[in-house]
Structure formats: structure tokens, C-alpha cells
Amino acid sequence: MNQNLQNILKLVEESEALSAEQKKSVADWIKEVDKTITVTEFKLDRTEKVKKTTAILLEETIQELELKRKAVQETNDALHKSLEELKATQQQLIQSEKMASLGELTAGIAHEIQNPLNFVNNFSEVSSELIDEMTEELKKGNMEDAQAIANEIKMSLEKITVHGKRADGIVKSMLQHSRTSTGKKEPTDINALADEYLRLAYHGMRAKDKIFNSAMKTDFDESIGLVKIISQDIGRVVLNLITNAFYAVNEKKKLNLNGYEPTVTVTTKKTGNKVEIIVKDNGIGIPQKALDKIFQPFFTTKPTGQGTGLGLSLSYDIVTKSHGGEIKVDTREGEYTCFSIILPV
Amino acid sequence: MKAKSIKGRSVEEVSSALEQSMTYDFKPTLAIVFISIKQDRNAVCKILSDKGIDVAGATSCGEFINGYQDQGSIVILLLDLHRDAYSIFFRDVGNRDLAEVAKKLAHNALQKFNTPAFILLSTGMSKEGIVFNGEELINNLSKEFGGKVNIYGGMAGDDYSFTGSYVFTNHNHTDMGAVALVLDEEKMGLLGNAISGWQAVGTIKTVTKSEDDWVYTIDGQPAPEMYLKYLGKQSKTDEELKTLYEDIGLFYPFQVIDSADPVMRTPMMIDKERNAIKFDFPIPQGTKLQFSMPPDFDIVENVLADADQLRNTNRFEAEALLIFSCAGRLNALGPLTNSENDGLHEIWKAPMAGFFTYGEFGKGKKDRPEFHSTTCCWVALKEK
Ligand SMILES: Nc1ncnc2c1ncn2[C@@H]1O[C@H](COP(=O)(O)OP(=O)(O)OP(=O)(O)O)[C@@H](O)[C@H]1O
Ligand SMILES: [Mg+2]
């Protein structure tokens, strides 16, 4: 017991002024006080000890936090770097996707050039024969006949020019497609563009898959006129959509459904100050759970190695970002898919 | 059932307390004895035996009954309970397989009663310094009943001297074994709980070098250095190191946090030559440790509030109360342990006895009996 308390207790016990009962009360109080002091002393002492330890632990925790912060920082930097690398890779992929679609086009292009070339060859031969005939007639002094033949030759030459120009156009558009986008909007005949890519895509598919076949329908709004767009970019969008459409009808065809006729329809429409390009197919459609993802880069349901899954993602960027337009999809699984590109004019 | 708790600082004192307690309407059949190793166990057992009283006892690190707490003394909970309602089993385990021991004990208990409950007293540390694996014993025993059994108790102490702790009955005693006071739960009701309050704090550390219960390095640093650093004591003389356990080992145990349930591991001693810390149990390399801090002072109120709530929800009226309080609590809570133990007595208003232990057995947060350390573990008893 605390010495002072002991003194008090002694004094009280010896006191004659207090009754026995009072003495007992005082003694009890003093015991209570002593207990409180003991507890308080203990608490103080323990608090001191714990304080020391807590300070050390706190210091340690701070150190570890600092280490963790550094680690997080490093991870962050590394992440940043890989993000940059990823972006670069993506850029490369975009380029190679472009090249790939060019490859797909080559077959179509070859086929397309073949036609005018045939014409050019035929009409050259025909012209050559006609010249021989004309020479004969001239020798005979048959001026009237010679004149008629000359007219035919002229028509034939005109046809050669037309078909030559067509081949020229095809080659130019191919070059345009492979060139990196100039980003410049130029007045473009959207109907012609759609028509061209439809045929190119079709022949591209045929070249890869001999038995591929599909009906192609077009419904062009002739009132559209020229629209200012980055033509090689929109060209790629249209090509992507049509290629996807052909793929979808071909997949459905593989199911050997009775009376199934693969059909891809390309429609253009002008409404108010908007131009719409609609690519519709009666193929396999898109299941609901895939629908949210089709515009994500690298999402594909094609077997590995066959699709990059970049087609729609790039198309989306081209339409929305560089043209301020919209790309919409309407589909029913197993029945149809209809993509619309809506461009402001 | 009638109960009385008595105490004494000597055999004589206890003897006369016993005489006084035995009245015409109180004839105890059973004595639960907690006794300092400094006292003469055999003499106490003889006195009790002479009166025809059965003994189940353990040595301690401090003893208490309602209104009294001391170290180096003797306390006894006397029960006037029909011999049909209980049975005492003594097991000198030595180095036998604890799973086997537990199985037999369960078997024997079930031969006696349909629904046995256990007041389990085990040794803490043998003369040779080997720690009794109370955890394994209770886990195996509990398993025999699919976890659906009441087991409460504690591991014997030796006044922090580490010279050996003992459990005993009237004529047997061991420094490596257990005494089970098995109660018939068809006749007896038990209600108890175990609450620690120690909290893991600071960073998570990994044991980088260890061998059995010796830990050499933690996070690549010498373990003693690190441990002492926490205590704000950089270097210590050998003499001081000896008292380390008493001082702080129980005060700041480590929490092993690998498994789903963290368990406490207590540093037992520091060997300067080996430059290692000896723990109470083997600590494999790679173990994750966290330093732990003693409870806030309000733990006492929490323990009491919890007991009060248990009493109210179960509408349990106790006739006797046993408390097994971790020896570390005495260090960490000092005089507050008085408030804790007496507070429990206040709640149950029944004769109480208890001791400071080297480990506790009882139901805590989980729905089955477990081994604990650092807890205040109590069990209230009544005859149905
Ligand atoms: N017309 C469509 N009908 C059904 N599914 C379609 C159609 N168009 C796109 N999809 C779905 O969207 C996915 C993504 O199309 P996207 O054009 O981005 O990549 P891809 O066609 O799979 O690969 P890539 O264009 O590189 O060949 C396709 O894999 C397909 O699952
Ligand atoms: Mg595609």
C-alpha cells in the first residue's frame, strides 16, 4: 500500500475522536483509493510500454508502406510502358489488317480487271480486223463501205477507252485503299463506292472459296449525289460490313437448311441531311451475348487465325470519330443482321 | 449441487478453511484444486483424501477465488455433488500419441455417461521443458464427438519458473499428462466462453530460418534483435533474458496468420549464443507472423458484457464458476485481472475458483471447443 495511505490509516486507527464504525468506513475508503491508485499506476506503466512498441511498429509500417508505394509506382510505370507498346502494336495491327483486306481484295480486283481487259483485247482484235477490212474496201475504192467500217472502228476504240478507264479506276482505288488515309474528305459517289466494294468482296470470297455463292441485291438512292467523306476509309467500312455479311450467309449455308438462299443487300438512302448505307444479310445473326462485344477490338467468333476481330472496331472508329456518324446494328439470331452507317452530309 | 470456494497461503490455512466450510448441510465430494508449485500438493491431497473428497487439480501461475487473488497460494472449489454425476480420469501421457489418448478418453467417458462433458486440466510444461500439446489433445478429443461436446479447462502453470507443471488426483500426479473431470451432462449444465482481446498489429513477417521451435531469422534478420527492438530493449544481459518470458513473452506473443484461424505462438526464451528465439511450439520456415499487442483496458468490460449477455440469453443460473485465465493476462492486465475475475463472479453470483494458465480449453467464437492462449476462459456449472 502507498506509504502516505498507510500513514493515514495508522493515524485513523489510533485516533480517539472516531468511533469504531467510522474507523472501519475510513479504512474501507482508503483501501478503495489504494486499489484505484494501483490500477492507475499499472495502466500508466503499461501504456508507456505499449507506446514504445507501437511507435516502433508504426515506424515499420510506414517503412513498408513506403516500399509498397515504390513498388506500386514501378508497376505503374511498367504498365504505362506496356500500354504504349500495346498502342504501337495495335497501330501495326491496324495497318496489317488493312493489308490483309487488300489481299482479300486482290482476287476480286484481278477478276474485275480481267473483264475490261477482255473487252480491250477483244475490241483491239476486232479493230485490227476492221482495219484490214477497211483497207480492202479502200483498195477497191469502196469509199462508202470504208466509211462505215471506220465508224465501227471508232466505236470499238471508244469501248477500248471506256474499259481501259475502268481498269484504271480499279487500280487507282486499290492503290487508294492501301495508302494510309489522307484524312481528307472529298466529294464521293457513295453508290459507286458501295457497288464497287460489293463486287470486289464477292469475287474475293469466290476466289478463296470456289463453292461460295450468294445473291447480291442493291437498292441505290440515285438522289444522293456526291457526299464529302474520306472515301478510302468509308470504303474499308463498307468492305468490312460486306465481308462480314458474306461470311455470315456462308456460315448459315453450311447448315444445309432447306430452301436457304444466301442474300446480301446493299441499300443507300438519303433522308434529310443524312445519308445511310445499309448492309443486310440473311445469315446466322448475332447472339445477344455477343452483341455487346462486336465493336470491341479483337472480338471475333471466327476460328483462331482467321479473323483479327478488328473489322468492326475500326469501322466504328471511322464512322463515329472521323465522320461524326453512327453505326447501328439490328439482328436476330439465326435469321438476319443489318448494319447501318449513318453519315451527316 | 452446493459449492464453496476456499483459499490459503499454506496447507494449514487451507486445512482450517476446509474444516470451516464443512457444515452439516455441506459435505463436499469433489475438490478442484489450483495450487502453486511452491505449495505441498501431496499434503493438500492427503487432507482432502482423508475427508473422502475426490481431487482433480493443477499447478498454477497465480490462483484466485471470489474476492481473492494471489500467487504462490492454494485455492479450491469444493463441490457437494452426487458421485453419479461425475468421474475423474487421470492420464500420464508421456510421449504417447495424443490422438490415441484422446480416443480412449472419449471411449471411457462414453462408457460412463451418454453425454459426457469435460473439465480438462493438462500439464503445461514438463520438468525437461517440453510443452504439452494441449491443442492436439483437445482437437482430437473434440473430434471424437464431432465437435459437439463441452470441454473447458486449462493447462497447468509453474509460477513462470519453467521447472515443470503438474496435474494430479488424490494419489496420482504427472508433469506430462492430463486429468479429466468428466461430468454427466444429463445431470449437469455447463455454459462458458473464451475471449482474448490480443490484436495482431504491424507488418506481416516471414520466418526465414527456423529449426523445430527455434526461430533464427525473421525477414532475413536475427530474430532476437528484432524481437527486442519491439520491446525497446536493444541488448539484455543473460540474467535479464531469463526473465524475458515473464516480462514480455506472454505480453507480446506472435500471431501465426498462415492458416484460416490465426494462432498465438509465444516466445519462451532468447538464447544469445544461438542468436535465436525458442517458441512454445515448432515454427516451420516460411511461417507468416504478425506481432500482437495486448488488449485495450476495456477488454475487461467486454468479457463481462459478453458473459452477462450469455447468462441472459440462456437463462442460466450458475451454482459454481471456474475461470482459466491465461498467464499472459496477468502480465498484460495486471490488477485489472482482479476486476475481470471478480466481475465474472458478480455476474454469476456463484462460488468461483480459477488460476492463471499456460493455455486454455473452451468454446470461443467457433461452435466447437478449441485450444486458446491469451484468453479469459470461464465455465459456469449447475446441477439440472
Ligand atoms: N453480319 C454478321 N453476322 C453475324 N455475325 C457478325 C456479323 N458481323 C460481325 N459479326 C460478329 O462480330 C464479330 C466481329 O466482327 P469483326 O468484323 O470485328 O471481326 P471478324 O470478322 O471476326 O474478323 P476480321 O474482320 O478480322 O476478319 C464476328 O466475329 C462475328 O461474330
Ligand atoms: Mg470482319
Side-chain angles (χ1 to χ4, degrees):
Chain A
M1 188 182 278
N2 179 292
Q3 190 56 50
N4 292 326
L5 289 180
Q6 281 185 34
N7 293 343
I8 297 172
L9 200 59
K10 198 161 161 232
L11 207 69
V12 168
E13 257 153 29
E14 285 163 3
S15 157
E16 276 156 23
L18 294 173
S19 71
E21 207 173 297
Q22 284 171 322
K23 280 183 187 172
K24 169 133 195 343
S25 298
V26 175
D28 284 349
W29 295 334
I30 286 175
K31 268 184 204 138
E32 264 315 302
V33 171
D34 183 60
K35 210 169 122 188
T36 314
I37 290 175
T38 316
V39 168
T40 313
E41 269 174 358
F42 174 80
K43 282 186 177 178
L44 207 66
D45 181 55
R46 207 198 88 167
T47 308
E48 268 317 305
K49 273 193 205 166
V50 170
K51 219 167 73 185
K52 254 193 236 162
T53 309
T54 314
I56 292 160
L57 285 168
L58 192 67
E59 206 175 288
E60 249 188 25
T61 311
I62 292 171
Q63 274 171 16
E64 177 156 313
L65 266 179
E66 179 57 25
L67 282 179
K68 283 205 175 128
R69 196 194 58 76
K70 276 202 191 124
V72 167
Q73 178 77 50
E74 273 162 31
T75 318
N76 221 344
D77 292 349
L79 269 177
H80 226 83
K81 215 176 133 219
S82 26
L83 192 69
E84 289 303 316
E85 281 169 10
L86 199 72
K87 274 188 188 157
T89 319
Q90 213 168 12
Q91 209 50 49
Q92 266 174 2
L93 263 172
I94 290 170
Q95 190 56 34
S96 50
E97 150 84 5
K98 234 194 244 176
M99 283 320 195
S101 63
L102 180 70
E104 245 166 54
L105 278 181
T106 332
I109 289 165
H111 179 273
E112 286 296 281
I113 292 175
Q114 197 58 51
N115 270 339
L117 218 55
N118 286 345
F119 280 115
V120 171
N121 286 342
N122 286 345
F123 286 117
S124 310
E125 256 170 54
V126 170
S127 301
S128 169
E129 279 163 21
L130 284 174
I131 286 172
D132 288 347
E133 275 176 39
M134 193 173 71
T135 321
E136 283 297 303
E137 297 301 332
L138 282 175
K139 267 187 203 160
K140 288 180 199 162
N142 240 337
M143 287 308 280
E144 226 159 87
D145 282 351
Q147 187 58 43
I149 294 172
N151 282 346
E152 262 182 70
I153 292 173
K154 188 169 169 13
M155 265 164 62
S156 171
L157 286 179
E158 269 166 12
K159 277 185 185 147
I160 288 176
T161 313
V162 166
H163 289 289
K165 276 198 179 137
R166 163 124 192 85
D168 184 52
I170 291 167
V171 171
K172 276 218 178 85
S173 77
M174 179 187 80
L175 287 175
Q176 215 171 28
H177 185 85
S178 65
R179 217 178 298 140
T180 34
S181 167
T182 53
K184 257 178 66 188
K185 290 195 178 117
E186 285 152 16
T188 307
D189 181 348
I190 286 193
N191 290 341
L193 180 121
D195 193 43
E196 185 159 12
Y197 279 107
L198 179 60
R199 283 188 298 146
L200 289 182
Y202 176 76
H203 291 298
M205 284 295 276
R206 294 267 296 180
K208 270 201 292 194
D209 179 358
K210 287 263 141 43
I211 56 166
F212 170 78
N213 207 352
S214 169
M216 288 181 284
K217 289 186 185 157
T218 54
D219 181 6
F220 293 143
D221 182 345
E222 297 302 337
S223 75
I224 292 178
L226 297 182
V227 181
K228 280 188 103 179
I229 52 168
I230 310 168
S231 59
Q232 66 262 53
D233 282 357
I234 293 296
R236 285 176 51 207
V237 174
V238 173
L239 180 66
N240 270 329
L241 296 185
I242 295 172
T243 315
N244 283 352
F246 279 143
Y247 185 82
V249 292
N250 203 27
E251 286 301 293
K252 188 163 167 186
K253 182 128 178 265
K254 288 182 191 163
L255 303 175
N256 284 325
L257 302 170
N258 241 348
Y260 177 61
E261 283 187 39
T263 312
V264 173
T265 314
V266 181
T267 310
T268 60
K269 233 188 327 195
K270 183 168 178 175
T271 34
N273 52 355
K274 289 201 172 94
V275 167
E276 236 180 297
I277 308 168
I278 302 155
V279 178
K280 185 170 178 175
D281 67 73
N282 63 348
I284 47 172
I286 305 171
Q288 192 56 41
K289 64 178 198 295
L291 200 54
D292 300 339
K293 298 184 201 141
I294 55 170
F295 291 109
Q296 288 173 11
F298 308 112
F299 175 79
T300 177
T301 52
K302 288 183 181 168
T304 359
Q306 289 201 20
T308 59
L310 279 171
L312 284 179
S313 134
L314 288 173
S315 302
Y316 186 85
D317 285 354
I318 291 169
V319 173
T320 59
K321 288 189 188 148
S322 29
H323 289 86
E326 275 181 274
I327 183 162
K328 283 197 208 156
V329 53
D330 173 29
T331 182
R332 179 167 297 163
E333 196 177 346
E335 293 192 17
Y336 70 90
T337 304
C338 178
F339 280 92
S340 330
I341 309 164
I342 303 154
L343 299 169
V345 284
Chain B
M1 175 178 76
K2 285 207 196 80
K4 280 184 185 177
S5 52
I6 59 170
K7 48 115 177 152
R9 289 205 54 84
S10 65
V11 176
E12 292 70 40
E13 272 182 40
V14 168
S15 174
S16 70
L18 178 64
E19 291 292 346
Q20 272 176 32
S21 73
M22 293 179 65
T23 52
Y24 75 94
D25 61 348
F26 184 69
K27 304 252 180 308
T29 47
L30 174 61
I32 302 170
V33 182
F34 305 132
I35 183 168
S36 160
I37 50 163
K38 290 164 197 149
Q39 298 285 350
D40 187 347
R41 292 189 294 283
N42 292 335
V44 173
C45 284
K46 180 158 190 322
I47 292 167
L48 290 164
S49 298
D50 287 349
K51 299 247 183 250
I53 301 173
D54 298 327
V55 171
T59 56
S60 52
C61 281
E63 313 74 31
F64 47 85
I65 62 170
N66 29 300
Y68 169 87
Q69 179 168 316
D70 207 349
Q71 271 178 285
S73 68
I74 308 160
V75 300
I76 302 176
L77 183 69
L78 294 165
L79 298 180
D80 183 351
L81 179 61
H82 201 282
R83 287 201 156 88
D84 286 353
Y86 70 89
S87 188
I88 296 172
F89 294 95
F90 174 85
R91 290 288 182 273
D92 189 1
V93 173
N95 50 16
R96 265 182 298 150
D97 179 24
L98 281 171
E100 224 19 70
V101 171
K103 197 171 192 158
K104 274 207 187 115
L105 184 56
H107 183 73
N108 290 344
L110 280 167
Q111 276 179 332
K112 274 265 173 199
F113 309 118
N114 287 330
T115 322
F118 296 79
I119 302 297
L120 184 65
L121 304 173
S122 85
T123 54
M125 186 192 267
S126 72
K127 284 197 296 278
E128 287 77 28
I130 297 164
V131 175
F132 185 81
N133 197 335
E135 191 165 3
E136 209 178 313
L137 177 63
I138 188 170
N139 286 346
N140 278 299
L141 188 56
S142 160
K143 207 168 72 188
E144 294 296 323
F145 298 90
K148 289 187 175 36
V149 59
N150 272 311
I151 307 173
Y152 290 93
M155 290 171 70
D158 56 9
D159 294 319
Y160 306 99
S161 68
F162 304 118
T163 52
S165 61
Y166 299 83
V167 294
F168 52 89
T169 57
N170 294 65
H171 305 291
N172 289 308
H173 72 109
T174 174
D175 66 343
M176 200 65 184
V179 167
L181 166 60
V182 182
L183 302 170
D184 181 0
E185 259 205 83
E186 279 166 10
K187 300 196 181 77
M188 297 289 293
L190 290 88
L191 181 67
N193 200 9
I195 293 183
S196 164
W198 259 257
Q199 304 144 354
V201 282
T203 54
I204 293 166
K205 302 186 161 41
T206 312
V207 173
T208 38
K209 185 173 178 234
S210 69
E211 212 182 282
D212 296 334
D213 39 10
W214 286 96
V215 172
Y216 291 87
T217 61
I218 297 175
D219 280 349
Q221 284 177 29
E225 213 169 276
M226 201 198 77
Y227 189 65
L228 290 175
K229 190 183 83 189
Y230 287 136
L231 310 169
K233 312 180 188 203
Q234 232 67 31
S235 61
K236 284 211 135 208
T237 64
D238 288 353
E239 202 43 49
E240 278 175 316
L241 283 178
K242 272 196 195 122
T243 61
L244 193 71
Y245 182 57
E246 183 174 348
D247 240 18
I248 47 181
L250 289 170
F251 202 98
Y252 294 123
F254 281 92
Q255 204 149 313
V256 171
I257 53 169
D258 291 334
S259 47
D261 342 304
V263 291
M264 294 290 185
R265 289 291 178 252
T266 313
M268 304 291 284
M269 61 181 283
I270 290 181
D271 189 323
K272 277 224 142 175
E273 230 137 82
R274 273 188 193 228
N275 202 15
I277 305 181
K278 185 178 159 65
F279 279 77
D280 52 351
F281 287 100
I283 300 202
Q285 245 161 250
T287 300
K288 297 249 181 293
L289 290 177
Q290 215 173 351
F291 203 62
S292 80
M293 294 282 268
D296 285 336
F297 296 123
D298 64 7
I299 185 64
V300 174
E301 277 104 76
N302 294 346
V303 167
L304 297 182
D306 171 82
D308 204 35
Q309 204 195 334
L310 271 179
R311 189 181 70 102
N312 289 329
T313 47
N314 291 284
R315 298 175 179 281
F316 195 97
E317 297 294 332
E319 288 167 334
L321 176 66
L322 287 169
I323 300 177
F324 308 95
S325 185
C326 176
R329 284 186 106 72
L330 193 52
N331 287 294
L333 296 170
L336 295 176
T337 52
N338 268 320
S339 319
E340 194 164 77
N341 297 332
D342 278 337
L344 283 171
H345 166 69
E346 284 301 312
I347 287 168
W348 291 110
K349 296 190 173 50
M352 174 275 276
F355 73 106
F356 290 104
T357 65
Y358 282 167
E360 307 81 56
F361 306 120
K363 198 161 68 65
K365 283 196 204 95
K366 283 202 221 95
D367 212 27
R368 57 179 163 81
E370 279 182 292
F371 169 78
H372 304 277
S373 54
T374 73
T375 62
C376 172
C377 173
W378 54 266
V379 56
L381 305 170
K382 75 164 173 200
E383 200 169 11
K384 281 183 179 163

